[in-house]
Amino acid sequence: MTGDDVHTPPAPLSHRVPDLGALELLLAVARHGSLGRAARDVGITQPAASSRVRSVERQLGVALLDRSPRGSRLTDAGALVTDWARRIVEAAEAFDAGAQALRDRRDSRLRVAASMTIAEYLLPGWLIALRAERPDTAVSLLAGNSAAVARRLVTGEADLGFVEGLSIPEGLDGTVIAHDRLVVVVAPTHRWARRRTPLLPGELAATPLILREQGSGTRQVLDAALAVHGGLAQPLLEVSSTTAVKSAAESGAGPCVLSELALGEELSARRLVQVPVAGVRLRRQLRAVWPAGHRPTGPARDLLTLTGRDS
């Protein structure tokens, strides 16, 4: 390695460099020729302004103002420092404008990825509320199973996600936003619709069911709940849509297990009948998730707030 390859890190700013507020006050004194008017311009009292100027003079080690009953006049050193201050403040204003442009670009869109149940039954209300708060934000929604949501977040295709699995997927952080329960339902003509006793876990596990696909939050919870009871039997039918699962069950094809959130209309109209189950826990947590270490900001943060998260 040659001497030219060695990069010496820049030295930290000296403690003698005043803060931006003090430089803005000095520029106001130069504009108005009066400490009192400069104080009003920057929104502080005259004693506070006088104290701040004295503090800057001590910090720099030079006198900046000549004070008299007729007003305050910059010394030669003060005029030079003011010229430097003007360039620093202008650079800070340009920096601030650039940062605001970045925030505006970030806030102009929100990409949401959500598992099917949340996308169909919870997100519409949240997005309507977000639209009222941020009418200029364009929102896109990608619906899929929980595994697909996690992939989209990790690869940068989405800003905020919602999943239904047992835990936070690898590479993501998250928070619980709600709780949900899986229920067993059948068509009114199915023999289980007339049961007088709850299903036992082993009976549910041994019965071929109409199921969501591998990777869905519903399937993850059901697999885990029945693992100690022999595991799920070979599915009667496996589909990637909640609506398709319900349609197949309504047709009498067989039992299915779905989120309680997705079954309100069908149960009320008795197109499907809930079958009680004993001895197995089918509750789950619904989570908002985002890339690890990147807490939601802007519209994503606002949407997260609108979910009324549990924790």
Side-chain angles (χ1 to χ4, degrees):
M1 180 182 293
T2 68
D4 291 339
D5 295 324
V6 178
H7 298 282
T8 303
L13 286 175
S14 165
H15 69 281
R16 291 185 179 277
V17 177
D19 61 47
L20 282 173
L23 298 181
E24 288 177 318
L25 174 60
L26 191 60
L27 291 174
V29 173
R31 284 196 304 273
H32 297 292
S34 162
L35 198 56
R37 287 197 293 272
R40 288 193 294 273
D41 190 359
V42 300
I44 61 176
T45 65
Q46 181 168 341
S50 181
S51 175
R52 183 171 292 185
V53 169
R54 286 195 299 269
S55 176
V56 173
E57 289 176 327
R58 288 194 300 270
Q59 189 176 10
L60 296 177
V62 296
L64 302 176
L65 297 181
D66 282 333
R67 300 165 179 82
S68 73
R70 294 186 301 277
S72 300
R73 184 179 64 82
L74 292 171
T75 65
D76 290 344
L80 185 58
V81 169
T82 300
D83 186 49
W84 296 337
R86 184 172 293 107
R87 282 179 276 173
I88 293 171
V89 170
E90 287 172 353
E93 289 171 346
F95 180 92
D96 187 41
Q100 183 61 52
L102 290 175
R103 289 191 295 271
D104 290 343
R105 186 171 68 181
R106 175 205 66 191
D107 294 352
S108 68
R109 69 170 188 175
L110 174 62
R111 300 167 303 164
V112 180
S115 55
M116 302 299 271
T117 300
I118 297 176
E120 292 182 36
Y121 301 100
L122 293 177
L123 258 174
W126 299 336
L127 293 180
I128 289 171
L130 180 67
R131 178 72 176 175
E133 289 191 6
R134 288 185 174 269
D136 296 328
T137 298
V139 180
S140 61
L141 172 60
L142 299 167
N145 63 37
S146 294
V149 170
R151 285 195 300 271
R152 287 187 171 118
L153 287 166
V154 170
T155 59
E157 297 175 61
D159 306 305
L160 184 66
F162 296 92
V163 296
E164 308 160 8
L166 292 169
S167 59
I168 299 173
E170 186 178 355
L172 304 179
D173 290 334
T175 186
V176 175
I177 56 168
H179 290 80
D180 182 28
R181 188 165 67 99
L182 300 183
V183 295
V184 179
V185 291
V186 295
T189 54
H190 192 278
R191 60 186 176 83
W192 282 1
R194 298 181 295 277
R195 284 185 68 104
R196 297 183 180 275
T197 58
L199 282 171
L200 295 177
E203 187 177 3
L204 179 62
T207 301
L209 302 172
I210 304 166
L211 294 174
R212 285 288 309 278
E213 79 287 5
Q214 291 284 356
S216 73
T218 299
R219 184 69 172 269
Q220 290 174 21
V221 172
L222 190 58
D223 280 336
L226 296 179
V228 296
H229 301 285
L232 282 169
Q234 184 70 25
L236 180 67
L237 184 64
E238 192 176 60
V239 295
S240 59
S241 159
T242 298
T243 300
V245 172
K246 289 191 291 185
S247 295
E250 284 183 44
S251 73
C256 71
V257 182
L258 286 173
S259 163
E260 196 171 35
L261 292 170
L263 292 165
E265 182 180 339
E266 289 78 12
L267 293 175
S268 296
R270 287 196 59 79
R271 296 199 300 271
L272 290 172
V273 177
Q274 182 175 339
V275 183
V277 182
V280 63
R281 180 176 175 82
L282 294 176
R283 284 181 60 81
R284 62 181 178 175
Q285 296 174 323
L286 308 182
R287 290 182 174 85
V289 289
W290 53 87
H294 297 276
R295 184 78 183 177
T297 59
R301 179 196 58 223
D302 292 348
L303 179 57
L304 182 58
T305 300
L306 289 168
T307 65
R309 59 191 184 278
D310 287 358
S311 64

